[in-house]
């Protein structure tokens, strides 16, 4: 001790202004004294104090069948407190036979593992890096996995291979420790083992993907070679998903260009048509209800329509007039929404900013079903999600068919046209780009009159009629002569949808509003007092004339606001949150801020529970009830 203290003081005197601290100087002195004082014969020793022959010198790995010692024995070369990785050979040290999971340690240790004692390094050359490399080679080799360390996860065959082990780094916040997760395949299952190590450690970067790869291996894969101006049509089976990948060439889906070597996932019920102008190579992974290549496609006619609209836009720019306003009409299941998406995508790809007007209350592509709205398009639609809905203009209708309240339907149509005209007055780019209007499939009786009213309200320039020559002739007869009416065929890939399928699509659209695309959001549930909100319904039931008093005429109740008293019959109904400031405003012509759904009603405490995409409180206290119900069963 005297020699070490004196030598430590000498080190401090030699380097008074260096970065060496007193602790470092004392450690350096201990190193020198240990090396100089201990005889050479004692630098590699056994418990009896006798020199250890070469055959008995300690090895970092015990021999086969030899019981290794544990504890703080200074005779064993200490390799730190690292826990064994999956498949690593046993190492000498304190915890080489400790069981998983590791006990919670109170002391935090940082830095690299300590070196072996000096006495064991005098006669034995020990290289930590070489030993580490040797352990990694043995760990990555395909040898049986030691079942002693499988404590989490299940495995059918514990002697399976660990050749498919992949790692990535992950740090445990707030501590100097982290977890190493090793994923490996065992039979048909994926086992994930977290193992504690010091500092940064690796976590399997492909543990999530390995499960997907395992399921993808079972999916059938089909390759298609498409010639120029042909399209691949496929439909996804129920409770299945299909992945599409563009291997070579160029292709597009409803006007949105595909990225090469990127997989696009389509869920159950999707009906997709992949078109190519110059030829391409595609690959489908998954079970499809039908998949075929068709040469009979109307894409060339749709492209000619887009070219004519673009010429009208360029002419409007030169003459400083407004751009073309297009309305797409036709019966149900003829592809009206697809043609609208196609024309909008082609316009945006040329730098235009058209407006998409949705008048189909049964579909709700801008918002949820039962609403009417408009959307300013700034980028092409996503292949999987569709158009980006950031700030749409939405109005409450309350039903999925216009016939329930045709006067309210026409009134909201006129209101949308007025707002769009105001937008065009202040935004020159929006005025030149024009709009594309999607309509409902009701084309007879009052539905036809609603189409004529929409064409008059928006002052449309072009009407595209899909697959019905009778409707084409009627519109050409009733609309002004300056309105260009075009008859186009529907695509051969359009299929008829049943009522059940339409109902499922509406429910999925509402669920996507609350939970996001494929469940990426988490809605909020909270209570709302009866006294905090005012609930109305647009339109009162019609009373027969025989029930009215003598000499009294029936009022128009379709636009009347009827107060609604909260009750148990309100459960599962959708409510629109109006942006109106007071009852003096016309609630039916006021846009909505969002939607909530009532999940339960408590009459005793005078509150009802709602599911909302945003936390409490509600932005406004005026609510409009819908006839649509939504039950969150998933």
């Amino acid at each position: 001790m005297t020699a070490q203290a004196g030598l430590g003081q000498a080190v401090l005197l030699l380097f008074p202004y260096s970065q060496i601290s007193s602790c470092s100087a004392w450690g350096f002195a201990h190193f020198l004294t240990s090396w100089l004082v201990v005889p050479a014969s004692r630098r590699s020793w056994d418990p009896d104090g006798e020199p250890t022959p070469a055959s008995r010198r300690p090895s970092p790995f015990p021999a086969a069948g030899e019981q290794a010692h544990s504890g703080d024995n200074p005779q064993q070369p200490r390799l730190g407190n690292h826990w064994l990785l999956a498949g690593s050979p046993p190492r000498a040290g304190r915890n080489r036979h400790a069981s998983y999971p590791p006990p919670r340690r109170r002391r935090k240790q940082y830095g690299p593992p300590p070196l072996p004692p000096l006495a064991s390094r005098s006669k034995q050359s020990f290289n930590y890096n070489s030993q580490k490399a040797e352990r990694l080679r043995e760990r990555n080799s395909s040898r049986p996995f030691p079942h002693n360390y499988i404590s989490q996860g299940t495995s059918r065959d514990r002697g399976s291979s660990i050749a498919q082990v992949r790692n990535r780094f992950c740090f445990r916040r707030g501590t100097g420790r982290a977890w190493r997760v090793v994923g490996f395949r065992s039979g048909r299952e994926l086992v994930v083992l977290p193992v504690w190590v010091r500092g940064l450690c690796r976590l399997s970067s492909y543990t999530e993907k390995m499960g997907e790869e395992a399921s993808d291996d079972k999916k059938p894969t089909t390759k298609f070679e498409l010639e120029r101006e042909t399209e691949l049509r496929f439909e996804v089976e129920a409770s299945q998903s299909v992945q599409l990948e563009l291997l070579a060439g160029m292709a597009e889906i409803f006007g949105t260009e595909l990225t090469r070597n990127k997989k696009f996932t389509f869920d159950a019920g999707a009906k997709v048509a992949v078109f190519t102008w110059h030829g391409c190579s595609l690959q489908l992974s998954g079970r499809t209800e039908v998949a075929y290549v068709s040469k009979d496609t109307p894409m060339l006619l749709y492209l000619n329509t887009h070219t004519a609209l673009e010429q009208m836009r360029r002419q409007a720019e030169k003459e400083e007039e407004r751009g073309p306003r297009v309305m797409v009409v036709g019966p149900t299941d003829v592809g009206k929404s697809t043609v609208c998406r196609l024309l909008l995508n082609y316009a945006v790809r040329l730098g235009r900013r058209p407006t998409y007007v949705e008048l189909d209350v049964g579909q709700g592509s801008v918002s949820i079903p039962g609403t009417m709205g408009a959307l300013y398009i700034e980028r092409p639609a996503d292949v999987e999600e569709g158009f980006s809905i950031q700030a749409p203009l939405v109005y409450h209708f309350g039903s999925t068919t216009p016939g329930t309240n045709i006067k309210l339907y026409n009134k909201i149509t006129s209101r949308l046209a007025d707002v769009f005209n105001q937008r065009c007055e202040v935004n020159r780019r929006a005025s030149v780009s024009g709009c594309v209007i999607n309509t409902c499939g009701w084309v007879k009786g009052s539905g036809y009159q609603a189409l004529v009213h929409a064409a008059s309200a928006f002052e449309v320039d072009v009407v595209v009629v899909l697959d019905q020559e009778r409707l084409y002739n009627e519109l050409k007869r009733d609309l002004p002569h300056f309105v260009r009416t075009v008859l186009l065929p529907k695509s051969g890939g359009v299929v008829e949808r049943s009522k059940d399928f339409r109902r499922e699509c509406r429910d999925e659209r509402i669920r996507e509003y609350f939970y996001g695309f494929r469940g990426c959001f988490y809605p909020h549930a909270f209570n709302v007092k009866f006294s905090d909100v005012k609930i109305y319904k647009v339109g009162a039931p019609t009373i027969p004339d025989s029930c009215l008093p003598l000499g009294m005429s029936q009022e128009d109740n379709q636009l009347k606001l009827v107060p609604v008293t909260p009750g148990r019959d309100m459960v599962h109904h959708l409510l629109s949150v109006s942006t109106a400031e007071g009852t003096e405003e016309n609630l039916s012509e006021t846009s909505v801020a969002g939607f909530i759904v009532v999940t339960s009603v408590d009459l005793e405490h005078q509150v009802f529970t709602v599911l909302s995409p945003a936390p409490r409180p509600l932005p406004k206290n005026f609510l409009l009830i819908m006839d649509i119900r939504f039950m969150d069963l998933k």
Side-chain angles (χ1 to χ4, degrees):
M1 294 296 293
T2 305
Q4 294 178 0
L7 193 55
Q9 294 177 1
V11 171
L12 292 177
L13 291 176
L14 289 175
F15 306 99
Y17 298 102
S18 64
Q19 299 296 328
I20 301 178
S21 61
S22 59
C23 296
S24 302
W26 181 267
F28 183 68
H30 174 70
F31 170 81
L32 292 181
T33 53
S34 299
W35 183 260
L36 297 176
V37 175
V38 178
S41 61
R42 295 288 300 276
R43 290 173 193 165
S44 178
W45 50 281
D46 58 5
D48 299 331
E50 298 296 332
T52 305
S55 60
R56 294 182 55 191
R57 289 174 185 171
S59 173
F61 305 112
E66 180 181 353
Q67 180 66 26
H69 298 281
S70 61
D72 294 329
N73 192 346
Q75 305 168 20
Q76 300 290 343
R78 183 178 178 185
L79 300 182
N81 294 330
H82 288 268
W83 284 87
L84 303 180
L85 300 179
S88 299
R91 296 184 293 177
R94 183 185 305 177
N95 297 319
R96 57 176 181 168
H97 287 291
S99 60
Y100 181 84
R104 183 181 297 274
R105 300 183 179 278
R106 297 183 179 178
R107 296 182 57 187
K108 296 182 180 180
Q109 299 181 2
Y110 303 93
L115 295 174
L118 298 176
S120 62
R121 295 200 306 170
S122 59
K123 294 289 185 178
Q124 175 186 346
S125 60
F126 179 79
N127 190 343
Y128 178 76
N129 294 329
S130 63
Q131 296 292 344
K132 180 179 179 181
E134 182 179 354
R135 290 195 305 273
L136 290 176
R137 286 195 300 270
E138 295 186 10
R139 185 191 69 182
N140 294 331
S141 62
S142 299
R143 68 186 197 79
F145 188 86
H147 63 83
N148 308 11
Y149 305 104
I150 300 180
S151 59
Q152 290 190 6
T154 58
S155 175
R156 296 181 181 177
D157 183 12
R158 295 193 173 184
S160 61
S161 173
I162 59 166
Q164 301 187 16
V165 176
R166 302 182 176 104
N167 299 318
R168 69 179 168 91
F169 286 99
C170 177
F171 187 70
R172 192 176 179 184
R173 183 179 297 178
T175 65
R177 308 170 183 175
W179 290 88
R180 169 173 289 178
V181 176
V182 180
F184 66 95
R185 294 185 186 274
S186 177
R188 294 185 179 179
E189 300 180 3
L190 178 68
V191 180
V192 179
L193 299 179
V195 182
W196 177 83
V197 293
R198 219 182 300 181
L200 288 178
C201 64
R202 294 185 229 179
L203 181 66
S204 174
S205 64
Y206 299 97
T207 48
E208 299 88 355
K209 297 182 180 179
M210 285 175 65
E212 298 178 359
E213 293 174 359
S215 60
D216 291 344
D217 295 340
K218 304 177 184 179
K219 294 183 178 180
T221 303
T222 309
K223 291 185 179 180
F224 296 89
E225 299 292 337
L226 273 66
E227 300 177 357
R228 54 178 302 177
E229 297 184 6
T230 59
E231 68 180 9
L232 170 66
R233 301 168 182 170
F234 64 90
E235 301 177 16
V236 186
E237 288 186 358
S239 68
Q240 297 289 335
S241 63
V242 172
Q243 286 187 339
L244 172 68
E245 183 178 2
L246 177 63
L247 302 179
M250 300 178 64
E252 63 183 32
I253 295 180
F254 307 140
T256 303
E257 192 172 359
L258 296 180
T259 305
R260 192 176 302 174
N261 298 326
K262 179 181 178 181
K263 293 184 178 180
F264 300 93
T265 304
F266 299 94
D267 298 327
K271 298 172 177 57
V272 186
V274 187
F275 184 82
T276 176
W277 293 101
H278 308 285
C280 67
S281 177
L282 299 171
Q283 177 176 302
L284 279 181
S285 301
R287 300 186 180 278
T288 58
E289 187 174 347
V290 61
Y292 62 95
V293 178
S294 176
K295 297 182 179 179
D296 185 13
T297 170
M299 285 295 296
L300 190 58
L301 298 175
Y302 297 161
L303 180 63
N304 291 337
T305 305
H306 158 71
T307 304
L309 295 177
E310 182 60 26
Q311 291 178 356
M312 297 175 66
R313 295 187 183 102
R314 293 179 181 178
Q315 184 178 359
E317 281 183 330
K318 294 180 180 179
E319 301 177 359
E320 295 185 357
E321 296 180 355
R322 63 177 179 85
R325 301 183 180 184
V326 188
M327 186 172 70
V328 182
V329 300
T332 57
D333 297 331
V334 293
K336 296 187 297 296
S337 301
T338 302
V339 173
C340 291
R341 179 173 176 176
L342 193 72
L343 296 177
L344 290 170
N345 282 330
Y346 282 165
V348 172
R349 288 168 63 178
L350 290 181
R352 305 297 181 181
R353 294 295 181 267
T355 302
Y356 179 38
V357 180
E358 179 61 83
L359 301 182
D360 188 359
V361 294
Q363 183 172 342
S365 57
V366 171
S367 184
I368 66 174
T371 60
M372 305 166 65
L375 181 65
Y376 188 64
I377 307 299
E378 297 179 323
R379 60 182 61 89
D382 185 79
V383 174
E384 300 177 359
E385 300 185 36
F387 288 110
S388 176
I389 303 177
Q390 296 294 334
L393 177 66
V394 182
Y395 289 92
H396 168 90
F397 180 71
S399 179
T400 57
T401 56
T404 57
N405 198 336
I406 192 64
K407 290 189 176 181
L408 177 63
Y409 183 85
N410 292 332
K411 189 173 183 179
I412 297 177
T413 301
S414 302
R415 177 60 180 169
L416 277 172
D418 294 339
V419 175
F420 176 68
N421 291 331
Q422 295 175 9
R423 174 73 177 246
C424 293
E425 292 177 0
V426 298
N427 191 333
R428 177 61 184 167
R429 194 174 186 181
S431 177
V432 171
S433 300
C435 66
V436 178
I437 307 170
N438 185 28
T439 58
C440 61
W442 188 22
V443 295
K444 294 181 180 181
S446 299
Y448 175 77
Q449 298 299 328
L451 293 179
V452 176
H453 172 77
S456 174
F458 281 93
E459 300 177 356
V460 298
D461 304 299
V462 180
V463 176
V464 177
V465 183
L466 292 179
D467 197 48
Q468 196 174 78
E469 192 172 357
R470 174 186 172 182
L471 179 63
Y472 164 76
N473 292 322
E474 290 178 351
L475 290 174
K476 196 172 183 180
R477 179 195 63 198
D478 296 337
L479 294 180
H481 65 280
F482 57 84
V483 178
R484 302 177 184 179
T485 307
V486 183
L487 177 63
L488 295 179
K490 70 174 182 179
S491 175
V494 176
V495 296
E496 295 184 1
R497 297 172 294 179
S498 61
K499 293 184 178 180
D500 294 337
F501 183 79
R502 292 175 181 273
R503 189 182 304 108
E504 291 177 1
C505 291
R506 286 194 292 264
D507 291 344
E508 188 63 30
R509 186 67 182 174
I510 298 173
R511 184 176 293 103
E512 183 179 335
Y513 173 79
F514 288 100
Y515 290 93
F517 182 69
R518 292 174 182 166
C520 59
F521 297 151
Y522 294 92
H524 302 264
F526 52 88
N527 294 332
V528 178
K529 295 182 180 180
F530 291 174
S531 58
D532 293 343
V533 294
K534 296 180 180 180
I535 306 176
Y536 296 94
K537 179 177 176 59
V538 182
T542 304
I543 303 176
D545 295 336
S546 59
C547 299
L548 294 176
L550 185 63
M552 217 178 150
S553 61
Q554 180 173 314
E555 297 181 3
D556 186 10
N557 296 327
Q558 290 188 345
L559 301 179
K560 186 178 180 180
L561 287 178
V562 181
V564 177
T565 303
R568 298 190 184 276
D569 56 346
M570 202 173 60
V571 177
H572 302 308
H573 274 275
L574 285 169
L575 301 177
S576 301
V577 183
S578 177
T579 57
E581 298 292 341
T583 55
E584 62 275 3
E585 299 185 28
N586 194 344
L587 295 182
S588 60
E589 295 185 0
T590 307
S591 61
V592 297
F595 308 93
I596 58 177
V597 59
V598 180
T599 57
S600 64
V601 178
D602 189 354
L603 298 177
E604 181 180 357
H605 297 87
Q606 295 290 298
V607 295
F608 59 92
T609 306
V610 300
L611 190 69
S612 171
R616 69 177 71 189
L618 295 175
K620 302 293 180 180
N621 59 349
F622 291 98
L623 306 178
L624 299 175
I625 190 170
M626 288 188 177
D627 296 335
I628 305 173
R629 294 190 178 190
F630 171 69
M631 300 181 65
D632 189 9
L633 300 179
K634 291 187 178 181

